[in-house]
Amino acid sequence: MATESVLRPSLIVPIGHVEPVPRRIRAAIDGRVVFDTRRALYVWEWKAFPQFSIPLEDLVEGVLIDDGHEEQLGAGPARRHSLQVGSEVREGAAWVWSPAAPEPLQGTVRFEWDALDGWMEEDEPVFVHPRSPYSRVDAIRSSSSVRVELDGVVLADAPNCVKLFETGLPTRYYLDRTHIRWSRLRHSDTVTRCAYKGTTSAYWSFDSDIASHQDIAWGYDFPTMQANRIAGLTTFYNDRVDLYVDGDLLPGSSDPTRGVRP
């Protein structure tokens, strides 16, 4: 059982891979639609997840301004452009693929995700980055017991859990909050977002007698529908605590160098 943390599906799509997106994709700035397309392409500039590349013909509003800078991206060379929508200018917002890029990408533009105010797949918002069609997120109830320790202090001891399996990432063990020692944790203002799970509701840190450990646990009160079984539960970073599953210490959990000394 202790080996399950390191046995996980790997990412299978190579850098530079391009394929059609079978969904309508839109994005906006200040409520004004920048593009609206049913001909978007997935392009993998790195292995973890793809980006959307949009046909230039499907720009609805706005003007691309060549910044005079070309760069080699993961899938090929592209020229950086700024985007002007009305009086609003987003510097370096887009990359127009050059003629030396793979043929399917020519005549398309890849926007920097944060340069646009909001993205939609069909009629639902999508956050952080496009979701890979080759990644899965499965939240499954499990009778595995989970104990969390750090610097000799037990922070959680649960008789069961929800295991979250996400392609390319370690299994996460989400615990009912009644099994966590909240008196030993302090709330953090950290917020993170995940394209597959949504926006975190809270993070928690731990101060022991020998070290301070920032943001070791987090939870989602309102996750995406695909991950709704983790709603209201809490999980810990596997490699920042001593994590025991069914009594076995997971590989990579115990690390004597972790923690920030006060």
Side-chain angles (χ1 to χ4, degrees), residues 68-80:
H69 172 76
E70 185 165 304
E71 192 169 313
Q72 182 72 28
L73 304 184
R79 289 185 69 83
R80 189 181 64 204

Side-chain angles (χ1 to χ4, degrees), residues 172-190:
R172 299 299 186 197
Y173 303 86
Y174 280 80
L175 312 179
D176 190 292
R177 292 179 180 178
T178 60
H179 301 304
I180 295 173
R181 295 185 62 187
W182 294 109
S183 61
R184 299 308 308 261
L185 299 176
R186 58 178 169 84
H187 184 268
S188 165
D189 292 330
T190 299

Side-chain angles (χ1 to χ4, degrees), residues 13-88:
V13 182
I15 293 173
H17 182 64
V18 178
E19 63 182 68
V21 177
R23 310 175 186 191
R24 181 186 184 188
I25 306 298
R26 289 173 287 170
I29 289 178
D30 291 335
R32 303 167 73 172
V33 175
V34 176
F35 62 81
D36 185 344
T37 184
R38 289 179 169 85
R39 302 184 299 159
L41 297 171
Y42 287 122
V43 53
W44 274 262
E45 295 182 33
W46 44 85
K47 291 194 69 172
F49 53 84
Q51 297 290 331
F52 293 133
S53 201
I54 309 300
L56 291 165
E57 296 174 353
D58 290 341
L59 268 62
V60 174
E61 194 166 345
V63 176
L64 292 173
I65 305 167
D66 194 334
D67 291 342
H69 172 76
E70 185 165 304
E71 192 169 313
Q72 182 72 28
L73 304 184
R79 289 185 69 83
R80 189 181 64 204
H81 287 65
S82 295
L83 173 65
Q84 181 172 354
V85 178
S87 60
E88 180 80 13

